Amino acid sequence: MSTNNQNNNQNPNSGTPNSSTPAYIEGGRRRRRGPRRDGRGNNTTLSPSDNIEQAEIENTELATSEVYEDEAALAEGGIKALGSKRIIPFMKLEKPMAIFSILMIIISIGALFINGLNLGLDFTGGVSADVKYENPVEQTEVIQSLEKAGFNDAVVQYLGGTTELLVRLPPQSDNVEGLNESLGSALDLPNNSAQISNVNIIGSQVGGEVYLSSMIAIITALGMMMLYVAVRFQFKLAVGALLALVHDAIVTLGFFALFQFPFDLTVLAAILALIGYSLNDTIVVFDRIRENFRRVRDASARQIVDLSLTETLRRTIMTISTVLVVVLAMLFLGGDGLFWFSVAFFIGLIAGTYSSTYISSSIPLAMGLSRDDFVVKIKPEFQEEEVTFNDPKSFED
């Protein structure tokens, strides 16, 4: 029985060859199922059944190779990923997000013009005093004692410990000597005397100069950031980065003007730190955009931006998560001295992450960002000239 089966497998006239083996025996010789790759040999002519089977094998091998190529390209972030749903289409929400940003900026600017900023003593002037107590004291106890003595709107901050405090008050009409006496009696607590070591009176003119210097510092920081991005990357990206930073600063200032939060030097420091953080996140996206424009072929600019934002999404989530933990810790555990700093940085952190994804990327696209902006072009003086040699003998008759 086994001998007959073997003879049937070996006989080409008995039917289709055994599909479990790559070749079968015919007359003591191994026969190929298909032609050689170079088309040479005696086995180039096949029966119709062999042609169908050869086509199925080739299609299977081609599909397998395409799957391997797709998986390898997806692992490397190559062009094959553009045709897959793995890429998050961020730019599909470009227009709704642009409308949302314009509304936020209009509301913020309106709040700044109508309400104005609730400037603190650093900008309006006032009195600051360094106070030291014999025993640890709570800030609320000091503020209540000052309010009983007629000193309203006082700001109390710790200086390194719970016994040393910085007390800031609005402008007072008394002179320095009378102010020391009235403050000394107002700051004394039951069974806990206070000692004033230093009293400074800040005039309104000095506060105005500080406010003007602060605005100049913000404008200078924005201008230098734009110059850096223009030199490091491209001018269109620099415009997008500048508008994103301006958006973050205006939205943060608008929140403080809308809800009349106190604006002092600590809030200004938060805005300057926010500008640096937002630009750092934007530069990471810009670097990936430049790399993908040079690496990926046959893809539109919008697809390149979506690919770059998708590749940097994990890094963005990790960065904002770690920074958010620190900001929330300062907000709830940092005390009054870091409270408004944390509030400003929290607002700017949300606005900065949003602007790095949409504003800084959509503005260059609207300006016509393309692959030509990142391809290094050869200067004319370095291009080779074509020289033709004329044989003198060719001019002879």
Side-chain angles (χ1 to χ4, degrees), residues 271-312:
I271 294 177
L272 293 176
L274 170 66
I275 291 174
Y277 167 80
S278 180
L279 182 67
N280 178 58
D281 195 18
T282 302
I283 285 177
V284 173
V285 178
F286 284 174
D287 185 69
R288 189 56 60 90
I289 289 176
R290 180 180 60 181
E291 178 184 351
N292 287 331
F293 264 113
R294 293 176 177 177
R295 179 172 59 93
V296 179
R297 300 292 189 272
D298 299 332
S300 64
R302 193 174 300 274
Q303 290 175 327
I304 295 296
V305 172
D306 286 339
L307 175 63
S308 304
L309 291 173
T310 303
E311 291 176 346
T312 57

Side-chain angles (χ1 to χ4, degrees), residues 363-382:
I363 296 298
L365 285 178
M367 297 177 64
L369 187 68
S370 63
R371 185 173 179 271
D372 295 335
D373 296 326
F374 301 96
V375 175
V376 179
K377 299 180 180 180
I378 301 176
K379 295 182 179 180
E381 57 267 22
F382 294 103

Side-chain angles (χ1 to χ4, degrees), residues 77-384:
I79 185 67
K80 293 291 183 180
L82 292 177
S84 175
K85 295 182 180 180
R86 294 175 181 268
I87 303 302
I88 302 176
F90 287 97
M91 290 298 106
K92 283 188 176 181
L93 300 176
E94 179 182 6
K95 293 183 179 179
M97 290 301 179
I99 296 174
F100 175 75
S101 299
I102 293 173
L103 291 177
M104 290 293 294
I105 291 176
I106 292 175
I107 294 173
S108 300
I109 294 176
L112 288 171
F113 276 100
I114 296 175
N115 297 338
L117 292 172
N118 184 15
L119 299 177
L121 301 179
D122 298 324
F123 302 114
T124 60
V127 178
S128 65
D130 298 334
V131 183
K132 185 175 181 180
Y133 284 89
E134 295 180 355
N135 301 319
V137 65
E138 295 291 336
Q139 294 173 323
T140 55
E141 297 179 3
V142 178
I143 294 175
Q144 293 175 0
S145 178
L146 289 171
E147 290 178 351
K148 292 180 181 179
F151 296 101
N152 298 320
D153 299 329
V155 178
V156 179
Q157 297 177 350
Y158 287 118
L159 294 176
T162 57
T163 58
E164 298 180 2
L165 294 90
L166 173 63
V167 178
R168 294 186 294 179
L169 300 171
Q172 305 295 322
S173 59
D174 296 339
N175 55 20
V176 178
E177 295 181 357
L179 187 61
N180 284 334
E181 295 178 359
S182 57
L183 271 179
S185 60
L187 291 171
D188 286 335
L189 300 176
N191 301 324
N192 195 0
S193 60
Q195 180 181 359
I196 300 175
S197 58
N198 187 18
V199 176
N200 296 319
I201 298 178
I202 304 173
S204 59
Q205 182 178 0
V206 177
E209 292 178 357
V210 173
Y211 181 75
L212 180 61
S213 300
S214 303
M215 296 298 105
I216 293 176
I218 294 178
I219 295 174
T220 304
L222 293 175
M224 296 304 294
M225 297 297 183
M226 179 180 179
L227 180 62
Y228 167 75
V229 177
V231 174
R232 182 69 175 82
F233 294 96
Q234 212 271 341
F235 178 75
K236 296 175 183 178
L237 295 179
V239 175
L242 177 64
L243 293 179
L245 295 178
V246 171
H247 168 271
D248 301 340
I250 290 179
V251 168
T252 305
L253 293 174
F255 265 89
F256 273 76
L258 183 63
F259 298 101
Q260 287 296 290
F261 296 152
F263 184 83
D264 52 12
L265 288 178
T266 58
V267 178
L268 175 64
I271 294 177
L272 293 176
L274 170 66
I275 291 174
Y277 167 80
S278 180
L279 182 67
N280 178 58
D281 195 18
T282 302
I283 285 177
V284 173
V285 178
F286 284 174
D287 185 69
R288 189 56 60 90
I289 289 176
R290 180 180 60 181
E291 178 184 351
N292 287 331
F293 264 113
R294 293 176 177 177
R295 179 172 59 93
V296 179
R297 300 292 189 272
D298 299 332
S300 64
R302 193 174 300 274
Q303 290 175 327
I304 295 296
V305 172
D306 286 339
L307 175 63
S308 304
L309 291 173
T310 303
E311 291 176 346
T312 57
L313 179 61
R314 181 179 299 178
R315 184 261 178 197
T316 302
I317 294 176
M318 293 177 62
T319 303
I320 189 177
S321 300
T322 53
V323 176
L324 189 61
V325 170
V326 177
V327 172
L328 292 177
M330 292 190 299
L331 181 63
F332 295 105
L333 303 176
D336 294 339
L338 295 175
F339 181 78
W340 295 115
F341 174 89
S342 305
V343 171
F345 204 90
F346 177 79
I347 296 171
L349 183 65
I350 304 301
T353 304
Y354 156 77
S355 64
S356 299
T357 304
Y358 285 100
I359 297 178
S360 60
S361 301
S362 60
I363 296 298
L365 285 178
M367 297 177 64
L369 187 68
S370 63
R371 185 173 179 271
D372 295 335
D373 296 326
F374 301 96
V375 175
V376 179
K377 299 180 180 180
I378 301 176
K379 295 182 179 180
E381 57 267 22
F382 294 103
Q383 294 181 352
E384 295 182 358

Side-chain angles (χ1 to χ4, degrees), residues 8 11-18 24:
N8 291 334
N11 189 2
N13 298 324
S14 61
T16 305
N18 188 8
Y24 58 94

